Amino acid sequence: MKHQFARNACSAILIPAVLVLAGGCSTQQSASSLAPQAQPSSVVESKTIETSAAVEPNAVEQSAVIEPKAMDALQKMGAFLQTLKAYEVSFKVSKDEVLDSGQKVMVDGTSELTVQRPDGLHFSTKIDEAHRDLQFFYDGKTFTIYGNTNKFYASVPAPATIHELLDVAEERYAIDLPFRDLFVWGTERADVAAIQSAIYIGPTKIDNVPCDHYAFRNVDVDWQIWIQQGEKPLPRKLVITTMDEEQHPQYVSMMNWNLSPKINNKLFTFVPPKDAHKIEFTVVEAATENTK
């Protein structure tokens, strides 16, 4: 028996709405002044609590701290990402889907991102159990989304750079591109004010790569990131928990980077298969164009 997946904030939606990571995860931080070395947060330490102990009414508020070490790590990672001219990223994704019954099931998938700044981008994502198999194409002239399963595609004229494409996709077509954070971190587009809590958890390894683990909290989203240690502070793992939904669905992504890719520029241009069907993007009306 097939179960219908209910929509949630970590879901990937077919054309024209696209894979959208949880609403607060596009937040990047500017550098805070570096404080003395912060110790790993006691969040990961197992503490025995007496059952008779009273809980302070403001205990939750007191735990919402902003550690300069965590904010500075995001800034350094973002600044490094902005220096990269060409790269490939392979993602191993696990994400919760919520059934109509309210039960959570975790499905696995893969994604591939190829970038050649300023005007070349290809992204593919496939999650078999959720029946999602999409590709995104951008060659500096045209932006296309293609569904490999249903053979539908939509293409529109595009601006000259990836950064401009991010804005046009969001503002004109209400498409929040799934890889947006990689281009937002380390720029003025980062929403520093959205961060309510930022803590350093401690050192660890991801795929045998030494990393530092950080945890952040926004209004409706908890998110964690593991950043590679050393001169190449690349994000290696990301966990997003949607807190404003009863089931608290999670999205987990493991990232493998290639900073010296051999790229064929044909990858960025969509050539429709003979059995493909063209559809149109829905243009979002500017409801608040002149609100004063």
Side-chain angles (χ1 to χ4, degrees):
M1 175 180 179
K2 292 184 179 179
H3 293 275
Q4 179 64 42
F5 290 131
R7 185 172 172 178
N8 69 64
C10 288
S11 290
I13 311 300
L14 287 177
I15 297 172
V18 212
L19 180 117
V20 178
L21 298 187
C25 74
S26 297
T27 56
Q28 166 50 16
Q29 310 4 298
S30 20
S32 298
S33 54
L34 208 52
Q37 182 75 13
Q39 296 299 317
S41 170
S42 59
V43 169
V44 294
E45 297 179 8
S46 179
K47 303 284 187 181
T48 302
I49 302 175
E50 297 293 335
T51 55
S52 59
V55 178
E56 294 281 343
N58 61 346
V60 176
E61 287 79 0
Q62 290 179 344
S63 66
V65 297
I66 302 290
E67 294 184 3
K69 179 181 177 68
M71 302 295 281
D72 188 60
L74 276 181
Q75 188 275 334
K76 289 180 178 178
M77 180 194 70
F80 179 71
L81 289 175
Q82 299 311 312
T83 68
L84 302 179
K85 303 302 181 184
Y87 56 87
E88 293 175 340
V89 193
S90 298
F91 304 84
K92 291 183 179 179
V93 176
S94 296
K95 62 190 299 294
D96 285 329
E97 296 280 2
V98 181
L99 303 180
D100 288 341
S101 64
Q103 181 179 357
K104 283 192 304 186
V105 294
M106 180 161 278
V107 297
D108 297 328
T110 58
S111 298
E112 301 282 340
L113 174 65
T114 302
V115 173
Q116 185 167 275
R117 295 179 190 263
D119 57 2
L121 183 149
H122 179 266
F123 179 77
S124 62
T125 181
K126 185 175 183 179
I127 302 178
D128 288 334
E129 293 167 286
H131 309 292
R132 296 180 187 128
D133 191 355
L134 298 174
Q135 291 188 73
F136 300 70
F137 299 82
Y138 169 69
D139 60 5
K141 298 178 180 178
T142 305
F143 172 61
T144 301
I145 302 177
Y146 175 61
N148 291 314
T149 301
N150 58 22
K151 307 298 183 183
F152 289 158
Y153 73 95
S155 295
V156 292
T161 68
I162 295 172
H163 281 288
E164 292 174 288
L165 173 66
L166 298 177
D167 291 338
V168 170
E170 181 178 14
E171 295 169 6
R172 184 169 176 78
Y173 304 105
I175 297 173
D176 190 5
L177 296 174
F179 41 79
R180 180 184 180 88
D181 287 351
L182 296 179
F183 300 96
V184 170
W185 279 323
T187 73
E188 69 282 356
R189 299 162 185 249
D191 187 4
V192 180
I195 297 291
Q196 295 186 339
S197 175
I199 57 177
Y200 174 53
I201 303 300
T204 187
K205 288 186 177 181
I206 301 297
D207 291 336
N208 210 34
V209 176
C211 295
D212 286 312
H213 178 192
Y214 301 90
F216 299 86
R217 169 162 286 181
N218 290 22
V219 175
D220 299 322
V221 176
D222 286 356
W223 54 288
Q224 304 169 64
I225 192 165
W226 287 254
I227 301 175
Q228 182 174 318
Q229 295 177 357
E231 298 180 355
K232 298 178 180 179
L234 295 165
R236 287 286 181 173
K237 181 179 178 181
L238 178 69
V239 175
I240 302 169
T241 305
T242 305
M243 302 302 294
D244 62 346
E245 295 187 27
E246 181 182 357
Q247 296 84 2
H248 293 172
Q250 284 194 323
Y251 170 96
V252 181
S253 179
M254 306 284 289
M255 290 166 260
N256 184 29
W257 292 77
N258 177 8
L259 302 185
S260 301
K262 295 181 179 179
I263 298 175
N264 184 341
N265 288 339
K266 292 182 179 179
L267 177 67
F268 305 130
T269 302
F270 176 69
V271 178
K274 292 182 179 179
D275 58 349
H277 308 282
K278 187 175 182 179
I279 60 176
E280 299 297 328
F281 283 114
T282 300
V283 178
V284 178
E285 294 293 338
T288 59
E289 184 176 350
N290 290 309
T291 53
K292 295 183 180 180

